[in-house]
Amino acid sequence: MTEFSQPDRVPGEEIHILHVDDEPDFASMVTQNIANEDDRFRVQSTTDPSEVADIVDVEGVDCVLSDYMMGEMTGLDVLSEVREIDPEMPFILFTDTGSEAVASEAISAGVSDYVIKDVIKEQYTLLASKIATHVERRRAETMANRTQRQLHELAENTNDVLFLFSADWSTLEYINSQHEGMFGQSIETLRQDPTAFLQPVHPDDVDDLKKGMQKVSEGHP
């Protein structure tokens, strides 16, 4: 299987859901009802749990919705295979097996959510809400991580020293590697004592620097 990479998607875009249930009629009904709940939903269905991992691997699935008991495989078997491809894939068990033991096992295995099948229409509204919530959270986290990596790359590709302290100088939040080359002081020294930044500064400039940093800490440019 290929190494998984989360697609560049943003909130509001299409959500690709893969539903797996070994009962064809029920699978068809759920697929249609879920698709009707949200215009963003594109629901794909399979009755063969053994092919779920391959579909996830190649088709850019955003969320897996799975039954629990399916012949020789359980939904948790499917979860295990999916997690090998994408450890953060939203995975919801939608099952009529509602024992506390199964629920506990599902939670321990790391399912994103657990919903008991019901005949009422409201269950699809609930499912749709849970699917959207988990997918949108995952996308937001992916975008935040990507932005953080991009900012880190920008910070490392500059000749300036860039650093962030907490307002009281008690914690070093971030510093780029240019600091060591410019000031001859290790980053670990600053992590242990952020005020060590003052050590390479000429004694005549320390007071001015402290005043300037205090202004910045108070929100003034």
Side-chain angles (χ1 to χ4, degrees):
M1 294 182 180
T2 59
E3 182 178 353
F4 183 84
S5 177
Q6 173 69 356
D8 292 337
R9 293 175 180 164
V10 297
E13 290 188 353
E14 178 184 84
I15 294 175
H16 184 183
I17 303 160
L18 176 60
H19 175 229
V20 53
D21 194 302
D22 60 350
E23 297 181 17
D25 291 341
F26 185 80
S28 177
M29 179 184 68
V30 171
T31 296
Q32 185 59 51
N33 279 286
I34 290 294
N36 290 339
E37 287 291 331
D38 195 314
D39 291 340
R40 297 173 299 170
F41 289 176
R42 177 166 68 89
V43 188
Q44 181 177 352
S45 180
T46 178
T47 57
D48 183 1
S50 67
E51 69 177 17
V52 171
D54 288 336
I55 295 173
V56 168
D57 192 33
V58 300
E59 296 196 21
V61 174
D62 294 303
C63 179
V64 174
L65 180 66
S66 176
D67 190 17
Y68 180 72
M69 293 301 301
M70 296 177 289
E72 296 182 358
M73 291 186 72
T74 70
L76 298 187
D77 294 329
V78 176
L79 170 67
S80 178
E81 292 186 355
V82 168
R83 287 284 188 258
E84 290 183 5
I85 300 167
D86 181 1
E88 305 299 327
M89 169 71 67
F91 192 103
I92 298 175
L93 274 184
F94 182 45
T95 175
D96 52 11
T97 307
S99 72
E100 291 184 5
V102 171
S104 176
E105 184 184 11
I107 293 171
S108 297
V111 298
S112 306
D113 233 312
Y114 182 89
V115 179
I116 302 298
K117 293 177 182 178
D118 205 333
V119 296
I120 58 175
K121 181 183 182 303
E122 285 74 11
Q123 71 175 339
Y124 296 110
T125 301
L126 173 65
L127 267 177
S129 175
K130 288 180 177 293
I131 290 169
T133 296
H134 287 293
V135 171
E136 288 172 355
R137 181 185 298 125
R138 200 264 174 104
R139 288 181 178 178
E141 290 172 352
T142 299
M143 291 178 66
N145 290 337
R146 184 176 298 115
T147 299
Q148 186 175 19
R149 289 196 300 271
Q150 290 172 340
L151 289 174
H152 178 77
E153 290 173 2
L154 288 172
E156 288 301 318
N157 290 320
T158 178
N159 294 323
D160 296 324
V161 176
L162 303 175
F163 58 90
L164 293 173
F165 292 126
S166 57
D168 62 359
W169 276 29
S170 64
T171 304
L172 176 66
E173 304 288 356
Y174 173 79
I175 191 163
N176 65 348
S177 58
Q178 295 296 335
H179 172 80
E180 291 190 11
M182 186 171 292
F183 292 101
Q185 183 183 63
S186 72
I187 291 175
E188 185 57 33
T189 297
L190 282 184
R191 293 198 186 283
Q192 295 176 358
D193 177 16
T195 62
F197 177 78
L198 296 171
Q199 292 174 3
V201 178
H202 192 283
D204 293 344
D205 296 327
V206 169
D207 286 343
D208 287 342
L209 178 57
K210 283 184 175 180
K211 291 176 182 177
M213 295 293 287
Q214 184 62 37
K215 287 179 64 178
V216 171
S217 297
E218 293 171 353
H220 302 293

